[in-house]
Amino acid sequence: SAGIITKVKDSYVPTGFGLLLFGKNPREKFQNAVVKAKVKYGKNPSIPKDFEGPLVLIPRDIELWIQQVLHSEVSRKKFERKTETLFPIMPLREAVINALAHRDYEIEGAKTYIEIDDDKITVKSAGLPVSPITLDDVKSFKAPSLSRNPKITYIFNKMGYMEENELGMETFRGMHESYGLPMPFYSHTAPYLCLTFSRSIESLSKIEGKS
């Protein structure tokens, strides 16, 4: 059961993690179990989107939304016509999965955020890294594999969402080599751990608050 159900008298009931992962409405118990996303391009109004419900379904829904809202272009390389997003999906997928799996769901009022604009994409999750991992470990993308929520990590791993050996850190370190983009950077504004991706080399100089 991986710690998602427990026996009470003669019946089985979901644990808190069971409700988060598979419950129809986890927010009845965890009000903060929601991902609040928004996209804002140029002078256009901000377009919000909330993702809630069973945690096992949220990564797929967020990935589909990201693919829809990122500007796209038509590639004519090798005489093939296909649509490509202007930012690689894999690093964003890793960032979202990490935020959902490792965040602190007990911090009152703290939710998960995804913010997209012309220059950057930011993923904010609640809580500092779990001890003994330090903020400096995370900022250098050398944090060892240690999860605040191993039950969520276990289920996400079984579903193919994530590797338990933190391949996400390798993905972030390799942004320039793999995609010709700057490495993302972590910052902390209590209670949020923020991971910011620059959408281009040029946009990096426009982003304020780089640590």
Coordinates of all heavy atoms in Angstrom, one line a residue, residues 21-115:
L21 N -2.9 11.8 -3.1 CA -2.5 11.1 -4.3 C -3.8 10.7 -5.1 O -3.8 10.8 -6.4 CB -1.7 9.9 -4.1 CG -0.2 10.2 -3.7 CD1 0.4 9.1 -3.0 CD2 0.6 10.5 -5.0
F22 N -4.8 10.1 -4.4 CA -5.9 9.5 -5.2 C -7.3 10.0 -4.8 O -8.2 9.6 -5.4 CB -5.9 8.0 -4.9 CG -4.6 7.3 -5.3 CD1 -3.6 6.9 -4.4 CD2 -4.3 7.1 -6.7 CE1 -2.5 6.3 -4.8 CE2 -3.2 6.5 -7.1 CZ -2.2 6.1 -6.1
G23 N -7.4 10.9 -3.8 CA -8.7 11.4 -3.4 C -9.3 12.3 -4.4 O -8.6 13.1 -5.2
K24 N -10.6 12.3 -4.5 CA -11.3 13.1 -5.5 C -11.2 14.6 -5.2 O -11.1 15.4 -6.1 CB -12.8 12.7 -5.5 CG -13.1 11.4 -6.2 CD -14.6 11.1 -6.2 CE -14.9 9.8 -6.9 NZ -16.3 9.5 -7.0
N25 N -11.1 14.9 -3.9 CA -11.0 16.3 -3.5 C -10.0 16.4 -2.3 O -10.4 16.6 -1.2 CB -12.4 16.9 -3.1 CG -12.3 18.4 -2.9 OD1 -11.3 19.0 -3.2 ND2 -13.3 19.0 -2.3
P26 N -8.7 16.3 -2.6 CA -7.7 16.4 -1.5 C -7.8 17.7 -0.7 O -7.4 17.7 0.4 CB -6.4 16.3 -2.3 CG -6.7 15.6 -3.6 CD -8.1 16.1 -3.9
R27 N -8.3 18.7 -1.3 CA -8.3 20.0 -0.6 C -9.3 20.1 0.6 O -9.2 21.0 1.4 CB -8.7 21.2 -1.6 CG -7.7 21.3 -2.7 CD -7.9 22.6 -3.5 NE -7.5 23.7 -2.8 CZ -7.6 25.0 -3.2 NH1 -8.2 25.2 -4.4 NH2 -7.2 26.0 -2.5
E28 N -10.2 19.1 0.7 CA -11.0 19.0 1.9 C -10.1 18.8 3.1 O -10.5 19.3 4.2 CB -12.0 17.9 1.8 CG -13.1 18.1 0.8 CD -14.1 17.0 0.7 OE1 -13.9 16.0 1.4 OE2 -15.1 17.1 0.0
K29 N -9.0 18.1 3.0 CA -8.1 17.9 4.1 C -6.9 18.8 4.0 O -6.4 19.3 5.0 CB -7.7 16.5 4.2 CG -6.7 16.2 5.4 CD -6.4 14.7 5.5 CE -5.4 14.4 6.6 NZ -5.9 14.8 7.9
F30 N -6.4 19.0 2.8 CA -5.2 19.8 2.5 C -5.6 21.0 1.6 O -5.6 20.9 0.4 CB -4.1 19.0 1.8 CG -3.6 17.8 2.6 CD1 -4.1 16.6 2.4 CD2 -2.6 18.0 3.6 CE1 -3.7 15.5 3.2 CE2 -2.2 16.9 4.4 CZ -2.7 15.6 4.1
Q31 N -5.9 22.1 2.2 CA -6.4 23.2 1.5 C -5.4 23.8 0.5 O -5.7 24.4 -0.5 CB -6.9 24.4 2.4 CG -8.1 24.0 3.3 CD -8.5 25.2 4.1 OE1 -7.9 26.3 4.1 NE2 -9.6 25.0 4.9
N32 N -4.1 23.5 0.8 CA -3.0 24.0 -0.1 C -2.7 23.1 -1.3 O -1.8 23.4 -2.0 CB -1.8 24.2 0.8 CG -2.0 25.1 2.0 OD1 -2.8 26.0 1.9 ND2 -1.4 24.7 3.1
A33 N -3.4 22.0 -1.4 CA -3.1 21.0 -2.5 C -3.7 21.5 -3.8 O -4.6 20.9 -4.3 CB -3.7 19.7 -2.1
V34 N -3.1 22.6 -4.3 CA -3.6 23.1 -5.6 C -2.3 23.7 -6.3 O -1.4 24.2 -5.6 CB -4.7 24.2 -5.4 CG1 -4.2 25.3 -4.5 CG2 -5.2 24.7 -6.7
V35 N -2.3 23.7 -7.6 CA -1.3 24.3 -8.3 C -1.9 25.5 -9.0 O -2.9 25.3 -9.8 CB -0.6 23.4 -9.4 CG1 0.4 24.2 -10.2 CG2 0.0 22.2 -8.7
K36 N -1.5 26.7 -8.7 CA -2.0 27.9 -9.4 C -1.1 28.4 -10.4 O 0.1 28.7 -10.2 CB -2.3 29.0 -8.3 CG -3.2 28.5 -7.2 CD -3.6 29.7 -6.3 CE -4.6 30.6 -6.9 NZ -6.0 29.9 -7.1
A37 N -1.5 28.3 -11.7 CA -0.7 28.7 -12.8 C -1.2 29.9 -13.5 O -2.4 30.2 -13.4 CB -0.7 27.5 -13.8
K38 N -0.3 30.6 -14.1 CA -0.8 31.8 -14.9 C 0.2 32.1 -16.0 O 1.4 31.8 -15.9 CB -1.0 33.0 -14.0 CG 0.3 33.6 -13.5 CD 0.0 34.9 -12.7 CE 1.3 35.5 -12.1 NZ 1.0 36.8 -11.3
V39 N -0.3 32.6 -17.1 CA 0.6 33.0 -18.2 C 0.2 34.4 -18.6 O -0.9 34.8 -18.6 CB 0.4 32.0 -19.4 CG1 -1.1 32.0 -19.9 CG2 1.3 32.4 -20.6
K40 N 1.3 35.2 -18.8 CA 1.1 36.6 -19.2 C 2.1 37.0 -20.3 O 3.3 37.0 -20.0 CB 1.2 37.5 -18.0 CG 1.1 39.0 -18.4 CD 1.0 39.9 -17.1 CE 1.0 41.4 -17.5 NZ 0.0 41.8 -18.5
Y41 N 1.6 37.3 -21.4 CA 2.5 37.7 -22.5 C 2.3 39.2 -22.9 O 1.2 39.6 -23.1 CB 2.3 36.9 -23.8 CG 2.7 35.5 -23.6 CD1 1.9 34.4 -24.1 CD2 4.0 35.1 -23.1 CE1 2.3 33.1 -24.0 CE2 4.4 33.8 -23.0 CZ 3.6 32.8 -23.4 OH 4.0 31.5 -23.3
G42 N 3.4 40.0 -22.9 CA 3.3 41.4 -23.3 C 2.4 42.1 -22.4 O 2.4 42.0 -21.2
K43 N 1.5 42.9 -23.0 CA 0.6 43.8 -22.3 C -0.8 43.1 -22.2 O -1.8 43.7 -21.7 CB 0.4 45.1 -23.0 CG 1.7 45.9 -23.0 CD 1.5 47.3 -23.7 CE 2.8 48.1 -23.6 NZ 2.6 49.4 -24.3
N44 N -0.9 41.8 -22.6 CA -2.1 41.1 -22.5 C -2.4 40.8 -21.0 O -1.5 40.7 -20.2 CB -2.0 39.8 -23.3 CG -1.9 40.0 -24.8 OD1 -2.5 40.8 -25.3 ND2 -0.9 39.3 -25.4
P45 N -3.7 40.6 -20.7 CA -4.1 40.3 -19.3 C -3.5 38.9 -19.0 O -3.3 38.0 -19.8 CB -5.6 40.2 -19.4 CG -6.0 41.0 -20.6 CD -4.9 40.8 -21.6
S46 N -3.3 38.7 -17.7 CA -2.8 37.5 -17.2 C -3.9 36.4 -17.2 O -5.1 36.7 -17.0 CB -2.4 37.6 -15.7 OG -2.0 36.4 -15.1
I47 N -3.6 35.2 -17.7 CA -4.6 34.2 -17.8 C -4.3 33.1 -16.7 O -3.3 32.4 -16.8 CB -4.6 33.5 -19.2 CG1 -4.8 34.6 -20.3 CG2 -5.6 32.4 -19.3 CD1 -4.7 34.1 -21.7
P48 N -5.2 33.0 -15.7 CA -5.0 32.0 -14.7 C -5.5 30.6 -15.0 O -6.4 30.5 -15.8 CB -5.7 32.6 -13.5 CG -6.8 33.3 -14.1 CD -6.4 33.8 -15.5
K49 N -5.0 29.6 -14.3 CA -5.5 28.3 -14.4 C -5.1 27.5 -13.1 O -4.0 27.6 -12.6 CB -4.8 27.5 -15.6 CG -5.1 26.1 -15.7 CD -6.5 25.9 -16.3 CE -6.7 24.4 -16.7 NZ -8.0 24.1 -17.2
D50 N -6.1 26.9 -12.5 CA -5.9 26.1 -11.3 C -5.9 24.6 -11.6 O -6.8 24.2 -12.4 CB -7.0 26.4 -10.2 CG -6.8 27.7 -9.5 OD1 -5.9 28.5 -9.9 OD2 -7.6 28.1 -8.7
F51 N -5.0 23.9 -10.9 CA -5.0 22.4 -11.1 C -5.2 21.8 -9.7 O -4.4 22.1 -8.8 CB -3.6 22.0 -11.7 CG -3.4 22.5 -13.0 CD1 -2.7 23.7 -13.2 CD2 -3.8 21.8 -14.2 CE1 -2.5 24.2 -14.5 CE2 -3.6 22.3 -15.4 CZ -2.9 23.4 -15.6
E52 N -6.2 21.1 -9.5 CA -6.5 20.4 -8.2 C -7.1 19.1 -8.5 O -7.4 18.7 -9.7 CB -7.4 21.3 -7.4 CG -8.7 21.8 -8.0 CD -9.4 22.8 -7.2 OE1 -8.8 23.8 -6.7 OE2 -10.6 22.5 -6.9
G53 N -7.3 18.3 -7.4 CA -7.8 16.9 -7.6 C -6.7 16.0 -7.3 O -5.7 16.3 -6.6
P54 N -6.9 14.7 -7.6 CA -5.9 13.7 -7.3 C -4.5 14.0 -7.8 O -4.4 14.4 -9.0 CB -6.4 12.4 -8.0 CG -7.9 12.7 -8.3 CD -8.0 14.1 -8.4
L55 N -3.5 14.0 -7.0 CA -2.2 14.4 -7.3 C -1.6 13.5 -8.5 O -0.8 14.0 -9.3 CB -1.3 14.2 -6.1 CG 0.1 15.0 -6.1 CD1 -0.1 16.5 -6.3 CD2 0.9 14.7 -4.9
V56 N -2.1 12.3 -8.6 CA -1.5 11.4 -9.7 C -1.9 11.9 -11.1 O -1.3 11.5 -12.1 CB -2.0 10.0 -9.5 CG1 -1.3 9.4 -8.3 CG2 -3.5 9.9 -9.4
L57 N -3.0 12.8 -11.2 CA -3.4 13.2 -12.5 C -2.9 14.6 -12.8 O -2.9 15.0 -14.0 CB -5.0 13.3 -12.5 CG -5.7 12.0 -12.3 CD1 -7.2 12.2 -12.4 CD2 -5.3 10.9 -13.3
I58 N -2.4 15.3 -11.8 CA -2.0 16.7 -12.0 C -0.8 16.9 -13.0 O -0.9 17.8 -13.8 CB -1.8 17.4 -10.7 CG1 -3.2 17.7 -10.0 CG2 -1.1 18.8 -10.9 CD1 -3.1 18.4 -8.7
P59 N 0.2 16.1 -12.9 CA 1.4 16.3 -13.8 C 1.0 16.2 -15.2 O 1.4 17.1 -16.1 CB 2.3 15.2 -13.4 CG 2.0 14.9 -12.0 CD 0.5 15.1 -11.9
R60 N 0.2 15.3 -15.6 CA -0.3 15.2 -17.0 C -1.1 16.4 -17.4 O -0.8 16.9 -18.5 CB -1.1 13.9 -17.2 CG -1.7 13.7 -18.6 CD -2.9 12.8 -18.6 NE -4.0 13.4 -17.8 CZ -5.1 12.8 -17.4 NH1 -5.3 11.5 -17.8 NH2 -6.0 13.4 -16.7
D61 N -2.0 16.8 -16.6 CA -2.8 18.0 -16.9 C -2.0 19.3 -17.1 O -2.2 20.1 -18.0 CB -3.9 18.2 -15.9 CG -4.9 17.1 -15.8 OD1 -5.0 16.4 -16.8 OD2 -5.6 17.0 -14.8
I62 N -1.0 19.4 -16.2 CA -0.1 20.6 -16.3 C 0.7 20.6 -17.5 O 0.9 21.6 -18.2 CB 0.8 20.7 -15.0 CG1 -0.1 21.1 -13.8 CG2 1.9 21.7 -15.2 CD1 0.7 21.1 -12.5
E63 N 1.3 19.4 -17.9 CA 2.1 19.3 -19.1 C 1.3 19.6 -20.3 O 1.8 20.4 -21.2 CB 2.7 17.9 -19.2 CG 3.6 17.7 -20.4 CD 4.4 16.4 -20.4 OE1 4.4 15.7 -19.4 OE2 4.9 16.1 -21.5
L64 N 0.1 19.2 -20.4 CA -0.8 19.5 -21.6 C -1.0 21.1 -21.6 O -1.0 21.7 -22.7 CB -2.1 18.8 -21.5 CG -2.0 17.3 -21.7 CD1 -3.4 16.6 -21.4 CD2 -1.6 17.0 -23.1
W65 N -1.3 21.7 -20.5 CA -1.5 23.1 -20.4 C -0.2 23.9 -20.8 O -0.3 24.8 -21.6 CB -1.9 23.5 -19.0 CG -2.0 25.0 -18.8 CD1 -3.1 25.8 -19.1 CD2 -1.1 25.9 -18.2 NE1 -2.9 27.1 -18.8 CE2 -1.6 27.2 -18.2 CE3 0.2 25.7 -17.6 CZ2 -0.9 28.3 -17.7 CZ3 0.9 26.8 -17.1 CH2 0.3 28.1 -17.1
I66 N 0.9 23.4 -20.4 CA 2.2 24.1 -20.7 C 2.4 24.0 -22.2 O 2.8 25.0 -22.9 CB 3.4 23.5 -20.0 CG1 3.3 23.9 -18.5 CG2 4.7 23.9 -20.6 CD1 4.4 23.2 -17.6
Q67 N 2.1 22.9 -22.8 CA 2.3 22.8 -24.3 C 1.4 23.7 -25.0 O 1.7 24.2 -26.1 CB 2.0 21.3 -24.7 CG 3.1 20.4 -24.2 CD 2.8 18.9 -24.5 OE1 1.6 18.6 -24.7 NE2 3.8 18.1 -24.6
Q68 N 0.2 24.0 -24.5 CA -0.8 24.8 -25.1 C -0.4 26.3 -25.0 O -0.6 27.1 -26.0 CB -2.2 24.7 -24.5 CG -2.8 23.3 -24.8 CD -4.1 23.1 -24.0 OE1 -4.4 23.9 -23.2 NE2 -4.7 21.9 -24.3
V69 N 0.2 26.7 -23.9 CA 0.4 28.1 -23.6 C 1.8 28.6 -24.1 O 2.0 29.8 -24.2 CB 0.2 28.5 -22.2 CG1 -1.2 28.2 -21.7 CG2 1.2 27.9 -21.2
L70 N 2.8 27.7 -24.2 CA 4.1 28.2 -24.7 C 4.0 28.5 -26.2 O 3.3 27.8 -27.0 CB 5.1 27.1 -24.5 CG 5.6 26.8 -23.1 CD1 6.6 25.7 -23.1 CD2 6.2 28.0 -22.5
H71 N 4.6 29.7 -26.6 CA 4.5 30.0 -28.0 C 5.2 28.9 -28.8 O 6.1 28.3 -28.4 CB 5.4 31.3 -28.2 CG 4.7 32.5 -27.7 ND1 3.3 32.7 -27.6 CD2 5.2 33.7 -27.1 CE1 3.0 33.9 -27.1 NE2 4.1 34.5 -26.8
S72 N 4.6 28.7 -29.9 CA 5.1 27.6 -30.8 C 5.6 28.1 -32.1 O 5.2 29.3 -32.5 CB 4.0 26.5 -31.0 OG 3.6 25.9 -29.8
E73 N 6.3 27.3 -32.9 CA 6.7 27.7 -34.2 C 6.7 26.5 -35.1 O 6.7 25.3 -34.6 CB 8.1 28.3 -34.2 CG 9.2 27.3 -33.8 CD 10.6 28.0 -33.9 OE1 10.7 29.2 -34.2 OE2 11.6 27.3 -33.5
V74 N 6.7 26.7 -36.4 CA 6.7 25.5 -37.3 C 8.1 25.3 -37.7 O 8.8 26.2 -38.2 CB 5.8 25.8 -38.5 CG1 5.9 24.7 -39.5 CG2 4.3 26.0 -38.1
S75 N 8.5 24.0 -37.6 CA 9.9 23.6 -37.9 C 9.9 23.1 -39.4 O 9.0 22.2 -39.7 CB 10.4 22.6 -37.0 OG 11.7 22.1 -37.5
R76 N 10.8 23.5 -40.2 CA 10.9 23.0 -41.6 C 12.2 22.4 -41.8 O 12.7 22.2 -42.9 CB 10.6 24.1 -42.6 CG 9.2 24.7 -42.5 CD 9.0 25.8 -43.6 NE 7.6 26.2 -43.6 CZ 7.1 27.1 -42.7 NH1 7.8 27.6 -41.8 NH2 5.8 27.4 -42.8
K77 N 12.8 21.9 -40.7 CA 14.1 21.2 -40.8 C 13.9 19.9 -41.6 O 12.9 19.2 -41.3 CB 14.7 21.0 -39.4 CG 15.0 22.2 -38.6 CD 15.5 21.9 -37.2 CE 15.7 23.1 -36.4 NZ 16.0 22.8 -35.0
K78 N 14.8 19.6 -42.4 CA 14.8 18.3 -43.2 C 13.5 18.2 -43.9 O 13.0 17.1 -44.1 CB 15.0 17.1 -42.3 CG 16.4 17.1 -41.6 CD 16.6 15.9 -40.7 CE 17.9 16.0 -40.0 NZ 18.1 14.8 -39.1
F79 N 12.9 19.3 -44.4 CA 11.7 19.3 -45.2 C 10.5 18.7 -44.4 O 9.5 18.4 -45.0 CB 11.9 18.6 -46.5 CG 13.0 19.1 -47.3 CD1 14.2 18.5 -47.3 CD2 12.8 20.3 -48.0 CE1 15.3 19.0 -48.1 CE2 13.9 20.8 -48.8 CZ 15.1 20.1 -48.8
E80 N 10.6 18.7 -43.1 CA 9.5 18.2 -42.3 C 8.7 19.4 -41.7 O 9.3 20.3 -41.2 CB 10.0 17.3 -41.1 CG 10.6 16.0 -41.6 CD 11.1 15.2 -40.4 OE1 11.0 15.6 -39.3 OE2 11.7 14.1 -40.7
R81 N 7.4 19.3 -41.7 CA 6.6 20.4 -41.1 C 6.0 19.8 -39.8 O 5.2 18.9 -39.8 CB 5.5 20.8 -42.1 CG 4.6 21.9 -41.5 CD 3.5 22.3 -42.5 NE 2.6 23.3 -42.0 CZ 2.8 24.6 -42.1 NH1 3.9 25.1 -42.8 NH2 1.9 25.5 -41.6
K82 N 6.5 20.4 -38.7 CA 5.9 20.0 -37.4 C 6.0 21.2 -36.5 O 6.9 22.0 -36.6 CB 6.7 18.8 -36.9 CG 8.1 19.0 -36.6 CD 8.8 17.7 -36.0 CE 10.3 17.9 -35.8 NZ 10.9 16.7 -35.2
T83 N 5.1 21.2 -35.5 CA 5.1 22.3 -34.6 C 6.0 22.0 -33.4 O 5.9 20.9 -32.8 CB 3.6 22.5 -34.1 OG1 2.9 22.9 -35.3 CG2 3.6 23.7 -33.1
E84 N 6.8 22.9 -33.0 CA 7.7 22.7 -31.8 C 7.5 23.9 -30.9 O 7.3 25.1 -31.3 CB 9.2 22.7 -32.3 CG 9.5 21.5 -33.2 CD 11.0 21.6 -33.6 OE1 11.6 22.6 -33.4 OE2 11.5 20.5 -34.1
T85 N 7.4 23.6 -29.6 CA 7.4 24.7 -28.6 C 8.7 25.4 -28.6 O 9.7 24.8 -28.9 CB 7.0 24.1 -27.2 OG1 8.0 23.2 -26.8 CG2 5.7 23.4 -27.2
L86 N 8.6 26.7 -28.2 CA 9.9 27.5 -28.1 C 10.6 27.3 -26.8 O 11.5 28.1 -26.5 CB 9.5 28.9 -28.3 CG 9.0 29.3 -29.7 CD1 8.8 30.8 -29.9 CD2 10.0 28.8 -30.8
F87 N 10.2 26.3 -26.0 CA 11.0 26.0 -24.8 C 10.9 24.5 -24.6 O 9.8 24.0 -24.7 CB 10.5 26.8 -23.6 CG 11.4 26.8 -22.4 CD1 12.4 27.8 -22.3 CD2 11.4 25.8 -21.5 CE1 13.3 27.8 -21.2 CE2 12.3 25.7 -20.4 CZ 13.2 26.8 -20.3
P88 N 11.9 23.8 -24.2 CA 11.9 22.4 -24.0 C 11.0 22.0 -22.9 O 11.0 22.6 -21.8 CB 13.3 22.0 -23.8 CG 14.0 23.2 -23.2 CD 13.3 24.4 -24.0
I89 N 10.2 21.0 -23.1 CA 9.2 20.5 -22.1 C 9.8 19.7 -21.0 O 9.4 19.8 -19.8 CB 8.1 19.7 -22.8 CG1 7.3 20.5 -23.8 CG2 7.2 19.0 -21.8 CD1 6.5 21.6 -23.1
M90 N 10.9 18.9 -21.3 CA 11.4 18.0 -20.3 C 11.9 18.7 -19.0 O 11.5 18.3 -17.9 CB 12.6 17.2 -20.9 CG 13.1 16.2 -19.9 SD 14.5 15.2 -20.5 CE 13.6 14.1 -21.7
P91 N 12.7 19.8 -19.1 CA 13.1 20.4 -17.9 C 11.9 21.0 -17.1 O 11.9 20.9 -15.8 CB 14.0 21.6 -18.3 CG 14.4 21.2 -19.7 CD 13.3 20.4 -20.3
L92 N 10.9 21.5 -17.7 CA 9.7 22.0 -17.0 C 8.9 20.8 -16.4 O 8.4 21.0 -15.3 CB 8.8 22.7 -18.0 CG 9.4 23.9 -18.7 CD1 8.4 24.6 -19.6 CD2 10.0 24.9 -17.7
R93 N 8.8 19.7 -17.1 CA 8.2 18.5 -16.5 C 8.9 18.1 -15.2 O 8.3 17.8 -14.2 CB 8.2 17.4 -17.5 CG 7.6 16.1 -16.9 CD 7.8 14.9 -17.8 NE 7.3 15.1 -19.2 CZ 8.0 15.0 -20.3 NH1 9.3 14.7 -20.2 NH2 7.5 15.2 -21.5
E94 N 10.3 18.1 -15.2 CA 11.1 17.7 -14.1 C 10.8 18.7 -12.9 O 10.7 18.3 -11.8 CB 12.5 17.7 -14.4 CG 13.0 16.7 -15.4 CD 13.1 15.3 -14.8 OE1 12.9 15.1 -13.6 OE2 13.4 14.4 -15.6
A95 N 10.7 20.0 -13.3 CA 10.5 21.0 -12.2 C 9.2 20.9 -11.6 O 9.1 21.0 -10.3 CB 10.7 22.4 -12.8
V96 N 8.1 20.7 -12.3 CA 6.8 20.5 -11.8 C 6.7 19.3 -10.9 O 6.2 19.3 -9.8 CB 5.8 20.5 -12.9 CG1 4.4 20.0 -12.4 CG2 5.7 21.8 -13.6
I97 N 7.3 18.2 -11.4 CA 7.2 16.9 -10.6 C 7.9 17.1 -9.3 O 7.5 16.7 -8.2 CB 7.8 15.8 -11.4 CG1 7.0 15.4 -12.6 CG2 8.1 14.5 -10.6 CD1 5.6 14.8 -12.2
N98 N 9.1 17.7 -9.4 CA 9.9 17.9 -8.1 C 9.1 18.8 -7.1 O 9.1 18.5 -5.9 CB 11.2 18.6 -8.4 CG 12.2 17.7 -9.0 OD1 12.0 16.4 -9.0 ND2 13.3 18.2 -9.5
A99 N 8.4 19.8 -7.7 CA 7.7 20.7 -6.8 C 6.5 20.0 -6.1 O 6.3 20.1 -4.9 CB 7.1 21.9 -7.6
L100 N 5.8 19.1 -6.9 CA 4.7 18.4 -6.3 C 5.2 17.3 -5.3 O 4.5 17.1 -4.3 CB 3.9 17.7 -7.4 CG 3.2 18.7 -8.4 CD1 2.6 17.9 -9.5 CD2 2.1 19.5 -7.7
A101 N 6.3 16.7 -5.6 CA 6.7 15.6 -4.8 C 7.4 16.0 -3.5 O 7.3 15.4 -2.5 CB 7.7 14.7 -5.6
H102 N 8.1 17.1 -3.6 CA 9.0 17.5 -2.4 C 8.5 18.7 -1.6 O 9.1 19.0 -0.6 CB 10.4 17.9 -3.0 CG 11.1 16.8 -3.7 ND1 11.0 15.5 -3.3 CD2 11.8 16.8 -4.9 CE1 11.7 14.7 -4.2 NE2 12.2 15.5 -5.1
R103 N 7.4 19.3 -2.0 CA 6.9 20.5 -1.3 C 6.4 20.1 0.1 O 6.1 18.9 0.3 CB 5.9 21.2 -2.1 CG 4.6 20.4 -2.3 CD 3.4 21.4 -2.5 NE 3.1 22.0 -1.2 CZ 2.1 22.9 -1.0 NH1 1.3 23.2 -2.0 NH2 1.9 23.4 0.2
D104 N 6.3 21.1 0.9 CA 5.7 20.9 2.3 C 4.2 21.2 2.2 O 3.8 22.4 2.1 CB 6.4 21.8 3.3 CG 6.0 21.6 4.7 OD1 5.0 21.0 4.9 OD2 6.8 21.9 5.6
Y105 N 3.4 20.2 2.4 CA 1.9 20.4 2.3 C 1.3 20.9 3.6 O 0.1 21.1 3.6 CB 1.3 19.1 1.8 CG 1.5 18.8 0.4 CD1 2.6 18.0 0.0 CD2 0.6 19.3 -0.6 CE1 2.8 17.7 -1.4 CE2 0.8 19.0 -2.0 CZ 1.9 18.2 -2.3 OH 2.1 17.9 -3.7
E106 N 2.1 21.0 4.6 CA 1.6 21.5 5.9 C 1.7 23.0 6.1 O 1.2 23.5 7.1 CB 2.4 20.7 7.0 CG 2.2 19.2 6.9 CD 0.9 18.7 7.3 OE1 0.1 19.5 7.9 OE2 0.5 17.5 6.9
I107 N 2.4 23.7 5.3 CA 2.6 25.1 5.5 C 1.3 25.8 5.1 O 0.8 25.8 4.0 CB 3.7 25.7 4.6 CG1 5.1 25.1 5.0 CG2 3.8 27.2 4.8 CD1 6.2 25.5 4.2
E108 N 0.7 26.4 6.1 CA -0.7 27.0 6.0 C -0.6 28.1 4.9 O 0.2 29.0 4.9 CB -1.2 27.6 7.3 CG -2.6 28.1 7.2 CD -3.1 28.5 8.6 OE1 -2.4 28.3 9.6 OE2 -4.2 29.1 8.7
G109 N -1.6 28.1 4.0 CA -1.7 29.1 3.0 C -0.7 29.0 1.8 O -0.8 29.8 0.9
A110 N 0.2 28.1 1.8 CA 1.2 28.0 0.8 C 0.8 27.0 -0.3 O 0.6 25.8 0.0 CB 2.6 27.6 1.4
K111 N 0.8 27.4 -1.5 CA 0.4 26.6 -2.6 C 1.6 26.4 -3.5 O 2.7 26.8 -3.2 CB -0.8 27.2 -3.3 CG -2.0 27.5 -2.4 CD -3.1 28.3 -3.1 CE -4.3 28.5 -2.2 NZ -4.0 29.3 -1.0
T112 N 1.4 25.7 -4.7 CA 2.4 25.6 -5.7 C 2.0 26.5 -6.8 O 0.8 26.6 -7.2 CB 2.5 24.2 -6.2 OG1 2.7 23.3 -5.1 CG2 3.6 24.0 -7.2
Y113 N 3.0 27.2 -7.4 CA 2.7 28.2 -8.5 C 3.6 27.9 -9.7 O 4.8 27.5 -9.6 CB 3.1 29.6 -8.0 CG 2.1 30.1 -6.9 CD1 2.4 29.8 -5.5 CD2 1.0 30.8 -7.2 CE1 1.6 30.3 -4.5 CE2 0.1 31.2 -6.2 CZ 0.4 31.0 -4.8 OH -0.4 31.4 -3.8
I114 N 3.0 28.1 -10.9 CA 3.7 28.1 -12.1 C 3.4 29.4 -12.8 O 2.2 29.8 -13.1 CB 3.3 27.0 -13.0 CG1 3.5 25.6 -12.3 CG2 4.1 27.0 -14.3 CD1 2.9 24.4 -13.1
E115 N 4.4 30.2 -13.1 CA 4.2 31.5 -13.8 C 5.1 31.6 -15.0 O 6.3 31.4 -15.0 CB 4.6 32.6 -12.8 CG 3.8 32.6 -11.5 CD 4.3 33.6 -10.4 OE1 5.4 34.2 -10.7 OE2 3.7 33.7 -9.4

